[in-house]
């Protein structure tokens, strides 16, 4: 069996402890093993700070962007191989695997593009300068400079490629070295990506260290200039946020956690419209893509009560089009969930939902050997039952919840989720939409507005785009990533410079060309 090594302190390291096993969720076969026993995590953090950091900071933004672009191309060359690994270790269909891998290369390329507008000075301006004294002589300017620490990235199992590089692209472009840790159960793709990255020689030594398995005592060695960006369950996120060493040193922590996302159909949308077609297609995509294991997937689908039966029938027919089966077979659109523990979790979650909702299609019963779950639609009996708004079933399932059709009620129900990554709304009524959006906006990182006017060009709400922020308040973790240049701020220190205008502007302010 293949052993997945970690890349730390300039070399590949095979663990010396008891290895964790990675499996094929379709067949149950062992795929690989990994372990980080024997890794000196204090040395790993030091190596990033002392070797990777200075080397990255010696490059301009544009030079770092150039490396990102070349890395995107290097990974893309291995696209077919990576797709195969994602099928074997993650149960991804070809489409699911492409979503992850192309997401990684696309985000690297997008940040390469962002770099072109960042100038060639070792800092970024934050807004315009401002007069502080009686005259312009005493002047102020906010700038961002790269922090001198390491960025520890801990990722979830569902996006081993995209998760790794959407975080790393921002840190590297900001000039900060990365220690990246994928979720163990699906680490194969991330490991191969790390290997390609190291072998490409595109990044300076120390810019990427890769931890395949437990992070040991790494968090104990983080300090005031370091950052931790985590994606995963709310439970692990809560533990990390409260970690004594991180609290003591005010280590920057960004949490992307689970979210009970919503899709809302407004009462004005008629069955013949493009908007209705978009609604059906997007909800069905969220249930079936990556077997529903997308942090942005709509878990609650709000439908005007008088349309309930019609919408249920249409949704079931749309979802039913996705063939479930061996993800390696062409034409299969719904593979297994990623691993055994995940399967048990999904089944337990469905059982809890069954206490407050009826099964309209699918359900938790086994459909075939392996980690397969039937695509499932629940119908809520009580729109306010807490479990609907608090439990994320991270699999191919959603609950349809009838409501009156009033925008304030829809918003109130959506907000019972306690903070989400994305809410999608489908309406051609601008007044209804405005009322709804302004009520849900404080509780969400992203609000996606579907209508006839954009249907033809739209990308689905489940897709995270590098130019827009990703994250959300409350139970979504309270974090924020991406958003073009905004994504760099987490890795940089904003500092207010105050002094003589001539000095501030010439050395730290407007660029000479401006
Ligand atoms: P998880 O069990 O919380 O694990 C997430 C990551 O944390 C894994 O890499 C895991 O490593 C690591 N981890 C767990 N305990 C740790 C500890 N004590 N110290 C250091 N690292 C630790 O979550 P998951 O099951 O992988 O992911 C599923 C969840 O992620 C879902 O709830 C989903 O909603 C959420 N998610 C959110 C987003 C977002 O952007 N907001 C994106 C994707 C997924 P091991 O695998 O080695 O245990």
């Amino acid at each position: 069996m293949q052993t997945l090594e970690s890349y730390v302190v300039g070399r590949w390291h095979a663990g010396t402890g008891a290895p964790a096993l990675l499996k094929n969720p379709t067949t149950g076969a062992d795929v690989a093993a990994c372990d980080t026993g024997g890794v000196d995590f204090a040395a790993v953090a030091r190596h990033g700070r002392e070797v990777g950091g200075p080397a990255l900071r010696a490059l301009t933004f544009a030079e770092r962007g150039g490396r990102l672009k070349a890395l995107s191309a290097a990974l893309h060359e291995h696209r077919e191989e990576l797709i195969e690994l994602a099928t074997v270790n993650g149960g991804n269909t070809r489409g699911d695997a492409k979503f992850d891998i192309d997401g990684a290369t696309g985000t690297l390329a997008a940040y390469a593009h962002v770099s072109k507008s960042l100038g060639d000075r070792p800092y970024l301006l934050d807004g315009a300068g401002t007069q502080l004294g009686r005259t312009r002589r005493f002047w102020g300017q906010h700038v961002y400079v790269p922090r001198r620490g390491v960025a520890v990235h801990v990722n979830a199992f569902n996006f081993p490629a995209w998760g790794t590089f959407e975080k790393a692209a921002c840190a590297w472009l900001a000039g900060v070295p990365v220690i990246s840790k994928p979720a163990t159960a699906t680490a194969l793709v991330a490991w191969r990506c790390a290997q390609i990255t190291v072998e490409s020689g595109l990044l300076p030594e120390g810019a990427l260290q890769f931890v395949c398995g437990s992070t040991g005592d790494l968090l104990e060695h983080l300090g005031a200039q370091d950052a931790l960006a985590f994606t995963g369950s709310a439970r692990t996120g809560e533990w990390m946020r409260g970690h004594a060493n991180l609290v003591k040193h005010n280590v920057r922590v960004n949490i992307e956690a689970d979210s009970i996302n919503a899709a809302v159909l407004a009462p004005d949308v008629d069955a013949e419209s493009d908007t209705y077609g978009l609604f059906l297609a997007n909800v069905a995509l969220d249930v079936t893509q990556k077997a529903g294991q997308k942090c942005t997937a709509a878990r609650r689908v709000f439908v005007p009560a008088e349309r309930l039966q019609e919408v249920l029938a249409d949704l079931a027919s749309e979802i039913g089009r996705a063939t479930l089966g061996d993800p390696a077979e062409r034409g299969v659109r719904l593979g297994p969930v990623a691993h055994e523990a995940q399967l048990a979790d999904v089944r337990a979650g469905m059982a809890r939902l069954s206490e407050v909702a009826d099964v309209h299609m699918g359900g938790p019963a086994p459909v075939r050997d392996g980690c397969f779950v039937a695509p499932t639609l629940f119908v809520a009996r009580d729109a306010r039952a807490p479990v609907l708004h608090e439990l994320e079933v991270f699999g191919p399932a959603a609950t349809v919840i009838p409501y009156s059709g009033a925008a304030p009620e829809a918003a109130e129900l959506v907000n019972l989720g306690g903070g989400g990554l994305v809410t999608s709304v489908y309406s051609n009524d601008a007044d209804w939409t405005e009322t709804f959006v302004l009520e849900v906006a404080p509780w969400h990182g992203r609000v996606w507005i579907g209508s006839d006017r954009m249907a033809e060009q739209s990308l689905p709400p489940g897709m995270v785009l590098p130019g827009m922020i990703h994250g959300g308040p409350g139970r979504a973790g309270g974090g924020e990533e991406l958003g073009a240049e905004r994504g760099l701020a987490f890795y940089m220190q904003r500092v207010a410079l105050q002094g003589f205008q001539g000095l501030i502007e010439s050395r730290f302010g407007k660029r000479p060309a401006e």
Side-chain angles (χ1 to χ4, degrees):
M1 198 183 1
Q2 195 170 13
T3 297
L4 308 185
E5 299 185 338
S6 297
Y7 184 73
V8 285
V9 198
R11 67 180 185 90
W12 290 97
H13 173 100
T16 53
L21 286 181
L22 284 65
K23 292 187 176 273
N24 181 331
T26 306
T27 63
D30 294 343
V31 169
C34 68
D35 157 55
T36 58
V39 171
D40 176 350
F41 284 103
V44 173
R46 243 187 350 261
H47 186 71
R49 286 184 209 112
E50 293 174 6
V51 178
L56 276 170
R57 292 195 301 273
L59 303 172
T60 63
F61 286 104
E63 286 167 342
R64 296 197 285 263
R67 310 284 176 112
L68 298 187
K69 188 163 184 203
L71 180 57
S72 169
L75 290 165
H76 185 75
E77 273 179 35
H78 294 268
R79 186 172 186 251
E80 288 303 318
E81 178 197 350
L82 292 169
I83 289 172
E84 215 167 291
L85 298 183
T87 302
V88 169
N89 182 215
N92 285 201
T93 64
R94 187 175 170 79
D96 292 344
K98 284 196 291 190
F99 190 52
D100 182 32
I101 293 154
D102 294 347
T105 52
T107 304
L108 284 166
Y111 271 93
H113 185 72
V114 167
S115 76
K116 291 181 185 165
S117 56
L118 301 183
D120 54 6
R121 293 191 162 191
Y123 55 82
L124 297 176
L125 298 185
D126 177 35
T130 183
Q131 180 177 323
L132 300 175
R134 203 163 28 84
T135 70
R136 290 169 65 86
R137 199 171 264 270
F138 184 41
W139 192 250
Q141 172 71 55
H142 290 97
V143 301
Y144 283 108
V145 291
R147 285 158 64 101
R148 301 296 167 102
V150 286
V152 174
H153 292 164
V154 177
N155 286 306
F157 73 83
N158 53 343
F159 284 102
W162 177 81
T164 300
F165 290 100
E166 59 98 17
K167 286 184 170 59
C170 291
W172 287 330
L173 188 53
V176 174
V178 168
I179 301 169
S180 185
K181 177 217 164 356
T184 302
T186 59
L188 186 59
V189 167
W191 169 81
R192 184 65 187 120
C193 287
Q195 205 178 41
I196 294 164
T197 305
V198 171
E199 283 170 3
S200 75
L202 288 165
L203 298 174
E205 173 48 40
L208 173 66
Q209 296 184 85
F210 178 75
V211 172
C212 205
S214 161
T215 50
D217 63 354
L218 175 62
L219 303 190
E220 301 290 343
H221 302 292
L222 299 188
Q225 287 283 307
D226 300 323
L228 169 69
F230 165 80
T231 296
S233 63
R235 197 180 48 239
T236 312
E238 192 180 324
W239 175 81
M240 289 201 171
R241 199 186 281 292
H243 188 282
N245 182 58
L246 305 185
V247 172
K248 182 174 173 198
H249 292 103
N250 288 311
V251 175
R252 274 195 188 167
V253 177
N254 191 75
I255 306 280
E256 299 292 346
D258 40 310
S259 140
I260 324 291
N261 309 298
V264 180
L265 184 69
D268 67 279
V269 178
D270 70 72
E272 307 308 315
S273 66
D274 289 349
T275 307
Y276 187 61
L278 199 59
F279 162 79
L280 294 177
N282 286 340
V283 172
L285 186 70
D286 277 355
V287 171
T288 54
Q289 190 173 42
K290 299 222 73 167
Q293 301 162 113
K294 249 174 17 191
C295 54
T296 50
R299 307 291 171 193
R300 299 171 296 157
V301 183
F302 293 92
V303 171
E306 62 189 30
R307 306 270 302 271
L308 181 65
Q309 294 311 322
E310 166 205 348
V311 172
L312 278 173
D314 291 342
L315 271 179
S317 132
E318 187 79 25
I319 290 168
R321 287 208 223 160
T323 318
L324 177 144
D326 183 339
E329 283 175 20
R330 292 254 171 182
V332 167
R333 278 192 20 227
L334 176 55
V337 295
H339 54 84
E340 288 280 349
Q342 185 58 21
L343 177 66
D345 228 47
V346 169
R347 291 224 173 104
M350 284 183 166
R352 283 193 59 203
L353 281 182
S354 303
E355 292 165 13
V356 298
D358 299 321
V359 174
H360 180 74
M361 78 181 286
V367 273
R368 55 180 277 167
D369 286 347
C371 299
F372 289 89
V373 181
T376 299
L377 271 185
F378 290 97
V379 190
R381 292 195 285 272
D382 168 9
R384 290 171 194 278
V387 70
L388 298 176
H389 308 286
E390 290 168 5
L391 176 72
E392 181 198 44
V393 175
F394 206 57
T399 304
V400 176
I401 305 174
Y403 77 105
S404 69
E409 188 203 338
E412 188 206 338
L413 289 168
V414 167
N415 291 344
L416 291 179
L421 294 172
V422 57
T423 272
S424 50
V425 55
Y426 298 81
S427 178
N428 290 302
D429 178 337
D431 291 338
W432 196 102
T433 303
E434 183 183 352
T435 304
F436 175 82
V437 169
L438 290 178
E439 283 303 311
V440 296
W443 290 93
H444 291 83
R446 190 153 59 85
V447 181
W448 186 100
I449 306 166
S451 69
D452 287 353
R453 301 299 295 272
M454 52 70 92
E456 198 191 330
Q457 294 191 17
S458 72
L459 296 166
M463 187 180 271
V464 172
L465 300 170
M468 304 297 285
I469 58 163
H470 172 59
R475 74 160 296 140
E480 186 177 298
E481 294 180 325
L482 300 171
E485 193 177 327
R486 295 174 189 85
L488 275 60
F490 180 67
Y491 302 100
M492 305 185 87
Q493 183 62 39
R494 177 161 48 192
V495 53
L497 301 178
Q498 300 172 318
F500 170 52
Q501 184 205 14
L503 178 85
I504 299 270
E505 284 206 331
S506 66
R507 295 304 169 113
F508 312 106
K510 280 190 261 182
R511 292 190 279 270
E514 286 173 353

